[in-house]
Amino acid sequence: MVTSPVVNTYPLSSYTFGTKEPKMEKDTSVADRLARMKVNYMKEGMRTSVQEHNHPHILLLQIGNTFCKLPGGRLKPGENEVEGLKRKLSSKLAANSLQPNWQIGECVAVWWRPNFETIMYPYCPPHITKPKECKKLFLVHLSEREYFAVPKNLKLLAVPLFELYDNVQRYGPVISTIPQQLSRFQFNMVST
């Protein structure tokens, strides 16, 4: 009998949420983001980014009233994936005065952007020799209690897996597949 990896999860009531100074988005639209990505690609090559998710609720950052993204983001050239993810998580979710001990688990998904368009694939198309972005999603194990502080211009959402499932229109093709990516894990809800 094959056993699934176990992920301990805790009730949302175990966590405290606050705010910190705004962190301005570099782009005002998807088109601006793709244009900036193209400029950066010319300077640094393929973009590498990491994203965070954990337990039966996925933490998402909401920008404005509609656009949601996973906490995480672009790595510095040559930066270690795990250390870069910890840096991005602290930048987006941690209070300025305290740094959580982020427990980065395994990579659960890899997405590829073959060109400077919005579409991403869960594989690198064979005819693409120079992909423009590789986005990796990692499982992050949260401690039993945590304090999250997000920039005032963002909203932290805890979205249940069932809401993400097959909801491409609301969350996009990457976030909406997280339930499938996590289906191989067994979730252990720990009551506090």
Side-chain angles (χ1 to χ4, degrees):
M1 180 173 168
V2 177
T3 58
S4 300
V6 176
V7 176
N8 287 331
T9 62
Y10 305 94
L12 286 176
S13 59
S14 295
Y15 301 101
T16 306
F17 302 91
T19 61
K20 58 185 178 181
E21 289 306 308
K23 185 172 181 93
M24 302 314 293
E25 286 294 315
K26 294 178 182 152
D27 310 304
T28 57
S29 69
V30 173
D32 289 348
R33 179 175 180 264
L34 293 172
R36 185 172 53 84
M37 185 184 292
K38 188 172 188 175
V39 169
N40 287 336
Y41 178 81
M42 300 310 279
K43 289 191 294 188
E44 301 166 359
M46 182 181 70
R47 174 185 162 134
T48 310
S49 58
V50 290
Q51 309 293 326
E52 176 275 334
H53 52 86
N54 189 346
H55 77 64
H57 284 72
I58 302 300
L59 296 179
L60 298 176
L61 293 170
Q62 185 177 13
I63 304 164
N65 291 326
T66 56
F67 182 72
C68 291
K69 68 179 187 176
L70 291 160
R74 185 168 167 224
L75 299 175
K76 295 175 182 175
E79 185 175 28
N80 173 280
E81 292 173 343
V82 170
E83 294 308 311
L85 179 54
K86 288 179 180 181
R87 176 181 59 79
K88 296 306 278 185
L89 292 173
S90 292
S91 163
K92 294 187 176 158
L93 297 177
N96 295 332
S97 58
L98 63 125
Q99 294 299 311
N101 181 19
W102 301 110
Q103 297 297 312
I104 310 300
E106 64 186 274
C107 178
V108 296
V110 179
W111 287 81
W112 297 89
R113 185 182 311 274
N115 49 43
F116 298 110
E117 295 176 3
T118 56
I119 195 161
M120 293 189 81
Y121 297 97
Y123 59 90
C124 187
H127 67 283
I128 301 297
T129 57
K130 292 185 176 185
K132 306 310 181 236
E133 180 179 16
C134 175
K135 181 180 288 193
K136 295 184 178 185
L137 281 64
F138 284 84
L139 185 69
V140 176
H141 302 274
L142 297 177
S143 59
E144 182 178 350
R145 301 218 179 268
E146 200 63 70
Y147 176 78
F148 297 109
V150 297
K152 291 178 184 176
N153 59 321
L154 301 175
K155 184 180 192 180
L156 184 63
L157 305 177
V159 181
L161 283 177
F162 67 82
E163 186 178 319
L164 297 176
Y165 178 73
D166 203 26
N167 199 342
V168 176
Q169 191 164 14
R170 168 98 167 97
Y171 297 105
V174 175
I175 294 173
S176 66
T177 63
I178 289 174
Q180 291 96 316
Q181 305 298 340
L182 298 180
S183 66
R184 62 192 170 100
F185 293 93
Q186 175 185 342
F187 291 97
N188 177 38
M189 182 59 86
V190 179
S191 54
T192 54

